[in-house]
Amino acid sequence: EPEVTQTPSHQVTQMGQEVILRCVPISNHLYFYWYRQILGQKVEFLVSFYNNEISEKSEIFDDQFSVERPDGSNFTLKIRSTKLEDSAMYFCASSENWDYEQYFGPGTRLTVT
Amino acid sequence: AQSVAQPEDQVNVAEGNPLTVKCTYSVSGNPYLFWYVQYPNRGLQFLLKYITGDNLVKGSYGFEAEFNKSQTSFHLKKPSALVSDSALYFCAVRAFSNDYKLSFGAGTTVTVRA
């Protein structure tokens, strides 16, 4: 069964450094998403992406964040200058169409020290 | 704004007994409703969804959920729980519009004892 994959599974970085989280969505899916879950809190929506542009973003997704689909398979989330409060589990998801269910990857645990 | 409430942090049942995980939602207009399950060190796995139509929807692994518009609820049920159903369950909602984000509940930890 096709699944969303994410790399790395765990990333440790120092405050102020740039990080790139990588995702490979399911191959025939057209809509891509990033969510995050701070420890002990709810899963929160960050951004959705379709047709090579952001279709929706939350207030969390400020200028420090960016997304890109650099080729036909990868979908990345970049955090330009990490803060301590960016420490969280980041989930990538994809869906076949905007009103279909979203399939989630296993997550990348980001630890900012 | 849309939101989901899962009133129980934990649900404990004996294997073979019925399992119910509660969810209520708030959204403008008609809702899309989803249940996901998360096992340790795994991502969120899709279980089932309600879009429109029959209020009782069936999903993976013998789970079903009942949509109740008047009570704004979407409770997850399984007639006979298995030890392997022990996991973290999330209810999620999105608006029935050209809106992409899912809003999740806080999650309910289900423990099924042998």
Side-chain angles (χ1 to χ4, degrees):
Chain A
E1 185 179 328
E3 54 184 25
V4 177
T5 59
Q6 291 184 243
T7 54
S9 57
H10 190 192
Q11 172 123 24
V12 182
T13 190
Q14 289 191 329
M15 195 167 50
Q17 296 296 304
E18 174 184 287
V19 295
I20 297 176
L21 310 183
R22 291 182 167 79
C23 167
V24 178
I26 294 173
S27 62
N28 65 326
H29 286 187
L30 301 177
Y31 291 76
F32 314 113
Y33 314 83
W34 284 100
Y35 292 78
R36 77 174 186 188
Q37 185 178 30
I38 295 171
L39 191 63
Q41 298 186 22
K42 292 184 179 183
V43 176
E44 303 172 288
F45 170 80
L46 292 177
V47 66
S48 60
F49 190 84
Y50 168 70
N51 201 24
N52 281 319
E53 60 182 30
I54 290 174
S55 45
E56 188 178 0
K57 61 182 182 179
S58 71
E59 60 275 10
I60 302 168
F61 194 87
D62 61 22
D63 292 344
Q64 293 298 312
F65 291 87
S66 62
V67 288
E68 191 179 31
R69 187 152 163 84
D71 53 43
S73 59
N74 291 284
F75 179 51
T76 62
L77 174 69
K78 181 192 292 185
I79 309 175
R80 207 179 324 276
S81 177
T82 50
K83 308 184 187 87
L84 294 175
E85 54 265 36
D86 293 327
S87 294
M89 180 73 89
Y90 287 80
F91 293 106
C92 174
S94 67
S95 65
E96 198 171 336
N97 207 337
W98 69 271
D99 58 346
Y100 282 35
E101 59 272 18
Q102 297 174 21
Y103 288 87
F104 285 74
T108 293
R109 180 165 298 286
L110 176 65
T111 302
V112 182
T113 61
Chain B
Q2 56 198 47
S3 65
V4 170
Q6 293 182 242
E8 299 159 318
D9 292 336
Q10 292 208 11
V11 169
N12 299 305
V13 298
E15 189 172 36
N17 281 2
L19 169 63
T20 299
V21 186
K22 295 179 180 175
C23 169
T24 58
Y25 67 89
S26 172
V27 70
S28 297
N30 293 321
Y32 284 168
L33 293 157
F34 303 84
W35 276 101
Y36 286 84
V37 60
Q38 186 178 32
Y39 297 99
N41 302 314
R42 302 284 299 274
L44 287 79
Q45 295 180 39
F46 169 73
L47 274 181
L48 52 79
K49 67 181 178 184
Y50 171 83
I51 303 295
T52 186
D54 195 348
N55 289 345
L56 183 65
V57 294
K58 295 186 183 297
S60 308
Y61 313 120
F63 283 94
E64 57 190 30
E66 186 164 13
F67 170 65
N68 187 318
K69 188 172 183 178
S70 62
Q71 297 186 1
T72 61
S73 67
F74 189 57
H75 301 329
L76 181 69
K77 299 180 182 184
K78 187 170 184 181
S80 178
L82 301 172
V83 172
S84 56
D85 293 329
S86 298
L88 182 57
Y89 290 79
F90 292 97
C91 182
V93 68
R94 54 169 288 195
F96 192 85
S97 62
N98 198 6
D99 187 21
Y100 301 93
K101 65 176 180 289
L102 289 176
S103 296
F104 284 86
T108 298
T109 300
V110 169
T111 303
V112 182
R113 61 186 184 277

